[in-house]
mmCIF file of all heavy atoms in Angstrom:
data_model
loop_
_atom_site.group_PDB
_atom_site.id
_atom_site.type_symbol
_atom_site.label_atom_id
_atom_site.label_comp_id
_atom_site.label_asym_id
_atom_site.label_seq_id
_atom_site.Cartn_x
_atom_site.Cartn_y
_atom_site.Cartn_z
ATOM 1 N N TYR A 22 -16.317 -18.936 55.261
ATOM 2 C CA TYR A 22 -16.124 -18.574 56.650
ATOM 3 C C TYR A 22 -15.658 -17.140 56.605
ATOM 4 O O TYR A 22 -14.996 -16.607 55.743
ATOM 5 C CB TYR A 22 -14.904 -19.370 57.277
ATOM 6 C CG TYR A 22 -15.174 -20.867 57.284
ATOM 7 C CD1 TYR A 22 -14.759 -21.666 56.301
ATOM 8 C CD2 TYR A 22 -15.792 -21.454 58.399
ATOM 9 C CE1 TYR A 22 -14.945 -23.090 56.421
ATOM 10 C CE2 TYR A 22 -16.068 -22.802 58.486
ATOM 11 C CZ TYR A 22 -15.598 -23.614 57.505
ATOM 12 O OH TYR A 22 -15.903 -24.944 57.521
ATOM 13 N N ALA A 23 -16.067 -16.431 57.643
ATOM 14 C CA ALA A 23 -15.723 -15.045 57.971
ATOM 15 C C ALA A 23 -14.221 -15.079 58.354
ATOM 16 O O ALA A 23 -13.703 -16.090 58.970
ATOM 17 C CB ALA A 23 -16.463 -14.366 59.077
ATOM 18 N N ASP A 24 -13.486 -14.085 57.959
ATOM 19 C CA ASP A 24 -12.088 -14.046 58.275
ATOM 20 C C ASP A 24 -11.847 -14.102 59.747
ATOM 21 O O ASP A 24 -10.796 -14.666 60.225
ATOM 22 C CB ASP A 24 -11.409 -12.701 57.845
ATOM 23 C CG ASP A 24 -11.264 -12.601 56.258
ATOM 24 O OD1 ASP A 24 -11.452 -13.693 55.643
ATOM 25 O OD2 ASP A 24 -11.171 -11.474 55.727
ATOM 26 N N SER A 25 -12.714 -13.629 60.572
ATOM 27 C CA SER A 25 -12.568 -13.685 62.019
ATOM 28 C C SER A 25 -12.614 -15.046 62.565
ATOM 29 O O SER A 25 -12.030 -15.257 63.746
ATOM 30 C CB SER A 25 -13.571 -12.837 62.720
ATOM 31 O OG SER A 25 -14.889 -13.187 62.424
ATOM 32 N N VAL A 26 -13.147 -16.028 61.923
ATOM 33 C CA VAL A 26 -13.289 -17.342 62.492
ATOM 34 C C VAL A 26 -12.550 -18.410 61.596
ATOM 35 O O VAL A 26 -12.506 -19.556 62.048
ATOM 36 C CB VAL A 26 -14.751 -17.811 62.628
ATOM 37 C CG1 VAL A 26 -15.582 -16.753 63.376
ATOM 38 C CG2 VAL A 26 -15.412 -18.023 61.312
ATOM 39 N N LYS A 27 -11.969 -18.005 60.428
ATOM 40 C CA LYS A 27 -11.304 -18.933 59.581
ATOM 41 C C LYS A 27 -10.145 -19.636 60.302
ATOM 42 O O LYS A 27 -9.314 -19.044 61.097
ATOM 43 C CB LYS A 27 -10.809 -18.212 58.358
ATOM 44 C CG LYS A 27 -10.370 -19.195 57.290
ATOM 45 C CD LYS A 27 -9.996 -18.438 55.995
ATOM 46 C CE LYS A 27 -9.627 -19.319 54.890
ATOM 47 N NZ LYS A 27 -9.236 -18.623 53.641
ATOM 48 N N GLY A 28 -10.159 -20.985 60.193
ATOM 49 C CA GLY A 28 -9.142 -21.829 60.856
ATOM 50 C C GLY A 28 -9.522 -22.204 62.283
ATOM 51 O O GLY A 28 -8.841 -23.074 62.824
ATOM 52 N N ARG A 29 -10.499 -21.601 62.851
ATOM 53 C CA ARG A 29 -11.061 -22.053 64.137
ATOM 54 C C ARG A 29 -12.390 -22.781 64.104
ATOM 55 O O ARG A 29 -12.651 -23.658 64.931
ATOM 56 C CB ARG A 29 -11.156 -20.812 65.050
ATOM 57 C CG ARG A 29 -9.820 -20.159 65.298
ATOM 58 C CD ARG A 29 -9.906 -19.032 66.316
ATOM 59 N NE ARG A 29 -10.913 -17.905 65.983
ATOM 60 C CZ ARG A 29 -11.959 -17.622 66.625
ATOM 61 N NH1 ARG A 29 -12.286 -18.279 67.796
ATOM 62 N NH2 ARG A 29 -12.712 -16.649 66.220
ATOM 63 N N PHE A 30 -13.243 -22.390 63.219
ATOM 64 C CA PHE A 30 -14.589 -22.917 63.074
ATOM 65 C C PHE A 30 -14.570 -23.793 61.874
ATOM 66 O O PHE A 30 -14.118 -23.479 60.898
ATOM 67 C CB PHE A 30 -15.627 -21.867 62.961
ATOM 68 C CG PHE A 30 -15.896 -20.955 64.128
ATOM 69 C CD1 PHE A 30 -14.968 -20.953 65.286
ATOM 70 C CD2 PHE A 30 -16.940 -20.057 64.171
ATOM 71 C CE1 PHE A 30 -15.145 -20.160 66.386
ATOM 72 C CE2 PHE A 30 -17.077 -19.206 65.328
ATOM 73 C CZ PHE A 30 -16.340 -19.283 66.446
ATOM 74 N N THR A 31 -15.502 -24.750 61.982
ATOM 75 C CA THR A 31 -15.736 -25.733 60.916
ATOM 76 C C THR A 31 -17.252 -26.077 60.781
ATOM 77 O O THR A 31 -17.867 -26.454 61.733
ATOM 78 C CB THR A 31 -15.008 -27.136 61.101
ATOM 79 O OG1 THR A 31 -13.609 -26.854 61.277
ATOM 80 C CG2 THR A 31 -15.194 -28.033 59.803
ATOM 81 N N ILE A 32 -17.816 -25.757 59.631
ATOM 82 C CA ILE A 32 -19.172 -26.103 59.326
ATOM 83 C C ILE A 32 -19.280 -27.479 58.580
ATOM 84 O O ILE A 32 -18.479 -27.824 57.753
ATOM 85 C CB ILE A 32 -19.902 -24.908 58.544
ATOM 86 C CG1 ILE A 32 -21.381 -25.192 58.507
ATOM 87 C CG2 ILE A 32 -19.285 -24.867 57.135
ATOM 88 C CD1 ILE A 32 -22.188 -23.921 57.888
ATOM 89 N N SER A 33 -20.353 -28.225 58.933
ATOM 90 C CA SER A 33 -20.572 -29.626 58.332
ATOM 91 C C SER A 33 -21.983 -29.789 58.285
ATOM 92 O O SER A 33 -22.821 -29.123 59.026
ATOM 93 C CB SER A 33 -19.779 -30.640 59.087
ATOM 94 O OG SER A 33 -20.182 -30.744 60.305
ATOM 95 N N ARG A 34 -22.490 -30.848 57.579
ATOM 96 C CA ARG A 34 -23.864 -31.195 57.613
ATOM 97 C C ARG A 34 -23.939 -32.711 57.544
ATOM 98 O O ARG A 34 -23.249 -33.416 56.980
ATOM 99 C CB ARG A 34 -24.621 -30.567 56.358
ATOM 100 C CG ARG A 34 -24.149 -31.077 55.052
ATOM 101 C CD ARG A 34 -24.760 -30.173 53.984
ATOM 102 N NE ARG A 34 -26.248 -29.936 54.042
ATOM 103 C CZ ARG A 34 -26.882 -28.928 53.748
ATOM 104 N NH1 ARG A 34 -26.316 -27.808 53.325
ATOM 105 N NH2 ARG A 34 -28.304 -28.961 53.858
ATOM 106 N N ASP A 35 -25.135 -33.167 58.116
ATOM 107 C CA ASP A 35 -25.433 -34.588 58.081
ATOM 108 C C ASP A 35 -26.909 -34.659 57.596
ATOM 109 O O ASP A 35 -27.858 -34.416 58.395
ATOM 110 C CB ASP A 35 -25.377 -35.274 59.358
ATOM 111 C CG ASP A 35 -25.590 -36.680 59.427
ATOM 112 O OD1 ASP A 35 -26.189 -37.228 58.470
ATOM 113 O OD2 ASP A 35 -25.169 -37.366 60.334
ATOM 114 N N ASN A 36 -27.130 -34.699 56.278
ATOM 115 C CA ASN A 36 -28.503 -34.586 55.677
ATOM 116 C C ASN A 36 -29.334 -35.794 56.229
ATOM 117 O O ASN A 36 -30.599 -35.596 56.262
ATOM 118 C CB ASN A 36 -28.412 -34.633 54.201
ATOM 119 C CG ASN A 36 -27.830 -33.310 53.647
ATOM 120 O OD1 ASN A 36 -27.961 -32.333 54.313
ATOM 121 N ND2 ASN A 36 -27.365 -33.317 52.521
ATOM 122 N N ALA A 37 -28.731 -36.900 56.491
ATOM 123 C CA ALA A 37 -29.598 -38.009 56.966
ATOM 124 C C ALA A 37 -30.226 -37.676 58.402
ATOM 125 O O ALA A 37 -31.297 -38.228 58.731
ATOM 126 C CB ALA A 37 -28.653 -39.272 57.161
ATOM 127 N N LYS A 38 -29.614 -36.852 59.186
ATOM 128 C CA LYS A 38 -30.081 -36.425 60.369
ATOM 129 C C LYS A 38 -30.811 -35.027 60.315
ATOM 130 O O LYS A 38 -31.201 -34.456 61.286
ATOM 131 C CB LYS A 38 -29.000 -36.253 61.505
ATOM 132 C CG LYS A 38 -28.383 -37.645 61.828
ATOM 133 C CD LYS A 38 -27.303 -37.458 62.952
ATOM 134 C CE LYS A 38 -26.730 -38.802 63.236
ATOM 135 N NZ LYS A 38 -25.710 -38.747 64.297
ATOM 136 N N ASN A 39 -30.866 -34.455 59.061
ATOM 137 C CA ASN A 39 -31.468 -33.162 58.822
ATOM 138 C C ASN A 39 -30.778 -32.065 59.724
ATOM 139 O O ASN A 39 -31.566 -31.117 60.278
ATOM 140 C CB ASN A 39 -32.929 -33.192 59.115
ATOM 141 C CG ASN A 39 -33.759 -32.616 57.963
ATOM 142 O OD1 ASN A 39 -33.300 -32.468 56.827
ATOM 143 N ND2 ASN A 39 -34.935 -32.191 58.289
ATOM 144 N N THR A 40 -29.584 -32.104 59.898
ATOM 145 C CA THR A 40 -28.855 -31.196 60.814
ATOM 146 C C THR A 40 -27.560 -30.671 60.225
ATOM 147 O O THR A 40 -26.922 -31.372 59.583
ATOM 148 C CB THR A 40 -28.463 -32.004 62.136
ATOM 149 O OG1 THR A 40 -29.816 -32.462 62.701
ATOM 150 C CG2 THR A 40 -27.850 -31.148 63.171
ATOM 151 N N VAL A 41 -27.251 -29.440 60.621
ATOM 152 C CA VAL A 41 -25.922 -28.682 60.223
ATOM 153 C C VAL A 41 -25.265 -28.427 61.471
ATOM 154 O O VAL A 41 -25.899 -27.955 62.517
ATOM 155 C CB VAL A 41 -26.222 -27.583 59.326
ATOM 156 C CG1 VAL A 41 -24.863 -26.680 59.236
ATOM 157 C CG2 VAL A 41 -26.672 -27.985 57.976
ATOM 158 N N TYR A 42 -23.987 -28.581 61.575
ATOM 159 C CA TYR A 42 -23.252 -28.310 62.749
ATOM 160 C C TYR A 42 -22.112 -27.165 62.499
ATOM 161 O O TYR A 42 -21.792 -26.945 61.338
ATOM 162 C CB TYR A 42 -22.440 -29.523 63.152
ATOM 163 C CG TYR A 42 -23.216 -30.749 63.398
ATOM 164 C CD1 TYR A 42 -23.415 -31.686 62.359
ATOM 165 C CD2 TYR A 42 -23.965 -31.059 64.492
ATOM 166 C CE1 TYR A 42 -24.242 -32.823 62.465
ATOM 167 C CE2 TYR A 42 -24.743 -32.123 64.755
ATOM 168 C CZ TYR A 42 -24.786 -33.027 63.626
ATOM 169 O OH TYR A 42 -25.560 -34.089 63.786
ATOM 170 N N LEU A 43 -21.814 -26.471 63.645
ATOM 171 C CA LEU A 43 -20.803 -25.534 63.643
ATOM 172 C C LEU A 43 -19.774 -25.853 64.774
ATOM 173 O O LEU A 43 -20.169 -25.673 65.932
ATOM 174 C CB LEU A 43 -21.240 -24.079 63.702
ATOM 175 C CG LEU A 43 -20.254 -22.990 63.664
ATOM 176 C CD1 LEU A 43 -19.587 -22.954 62.199
ATOM 177 C CD2 LEU A 43 -20.831 -21.696 64.049
ATOM 178 N N GLN A 44 -18.737 -26.532 64.489
ATOM 179 C CA GLN A 44 -17.688 -26.767 65.426
ATOM 180 C C GLN A 44 -16.825 -25.519 65.671
ATOM 181 O O GLN A 44 -16.238 -25.096 64.772
ATOM 182 C CB GLN A 44 -16.875 -27.930 65.000
ATOM 183 C CG GLN A 44 -15.683 -28.334 66.015
ATOM 184 C CD GLN A 44 -16.211 -28.942 67.276
ATOM 185 O OE1 GLN A 44 -17.165 -29.734 67.181
ATOM 186 N NE2 GLN A 44 -15.785 -28.385 68.375
ATOM 187 N N MET A 45 -16.824 -24.998 66.900
ATOM 188 C CA MET A 45 -16.054 -23.888 67.254
ATOM 189 C C MET A 45 -14.884 -24.230 68.274
ATOM 190 O O MET A 45 -15.168 -24.699 69.325
ATOM 191 C CB MET A 45 -17.004 -22.783 67.826
ATOM 192 C CG MET A 45 -18.178 -22.510 66.990
ATOM 193 S SD MET A 45 -19.288 -21.240 67.732
ATOM 194 C CE MET A 45 -19.757 -22.018 69.202
ATOM 195 N N ASN A 46 -13.706 -24.053 67.786
ATOM 196 C CA ASN A 46 -12.502 -24.220 68.530
ATOM 197 C C ASN A 46 -11.698 -22.977 68.866
ATOM 198 O O ASN A 46 -11.990 -21.958 68.160
ATOM 199 C CB ASN A 46 -11.639 -25.324 67.897
ATOM 200 C CG ASN A 46 -12.299 -26.600 67.614
ATOM 201 O OD1 ASN A 46 -12.992 -27.001 68.452
ATOM 202 N ND2 ASN A 46 -11.900 -27.219 66.526
ATOM 203 N N SER A 47 -10.841 -22.967 69.837
ATOM 204 C CA SER A 47 -10.036 -21.869 70.177
ATOM 205 C C SER A 47 -10.883 -20.546 70.406
ATOM 206 O O SER A 47 -10.562 -19.585 69.839
ATOM 207 C CB SER A 47 -8.935 -21.679 69.162
ATOM 208 O OG SER A 47 -8.204 -22.780 69.000
ATOM 209 N N LEU A 48 -11.936 -20.753 71.183
ATOM 210 C CA LEU A 48 -12.872 -19.629 71.254
ATOM 211 C C LEU A 48 -12.223 -18.456 72.004
ATOM 212 O O LEU A 48 -11.448 -18.608 72.930
ATOM 213 C CB LEU A 48 -14.152 -20.068 72.043
ATOM 214 C CG LEU A 48 -15.085 -20.910 71.168
ATOM 215 C CD1 LEU A 48 -16.095 -21.808 71.962
ATOM 216 C CD2 LEU A 48 -15.913 -20.048 70.192
ATOM 217 N N LYS A 49 -12.704 -17.260 71.596
ATOM 218 C CA LYS A 49 -12.230 -16.044 72.043
ATOM 219 C C LYS A 49 -13.341 -15.291 72.748
ATOM 220 O O LYS A 49 -14.553 -15.475 72.438
ATOM 221 C CB LYS A 49 -11.655 -15.161 70.958
ATOM 222 C CG LYS A 49 -10.396 -15.902 70.263
ATOM 223 C CD LYS A 49 -10.002 -14.965 69.082
ATOM 224 C CE LYS A 49 -8.834 -15.699 68.453
ATOM 225 N NZ LYS A 49 -8.370 -14.806 67.171
ATOM 226 N N PRO A 50 -13.087 -14.390 73.688
ATOM 227 C CA PRO A 50 -14.198 -13.592 74.300
ATOM 228 C C PRO A 50 -15.019 -12.792 73.168
ATOM 229 O O PRO A 50 -16.266 -12.614 73.340
ATOM 230 C CB PRO A 50 -13.454 -12.597 75.189
ATOM 231 C CG PRO A 50 -12.306 -13.340 75.663
ATOM 232 C CD PRO A 50 -11.824 -14.142 74.373
ATOM 233 N N GLU A 51 -14.377 -12.416 72.078
ATOM 234 C CA GLU A 51 -15.053 -11.697 71.048
ATOM 235 C C GLU A 51 -15.942 -12.528 70.185
ATOM 236 O O GLU A 51 -16.734 -12.065 69.437
ATOM 237 C CB GLU A 51 -14.000 -10.945 70.076
ATOM 238 C CG GLU A 51 -12.925 -11.873 69.630
ATOM 239 C CD GLU A 51 -11.706 -11.703 70.349
ATOM 240 O OE1 GLU A 51 -11.782 -11.700 71.678
ATOM 241 O OE2 GLU A 51 -10.532 -11.684 69.753
#
């Protein structure tokens, strides 16, 4: 994770669905 998003974003994958996710919480204008 980039320092700017660490603790707020979470990456995960579901290979059975051939998909990767990026959960973004506490979003900021930047």
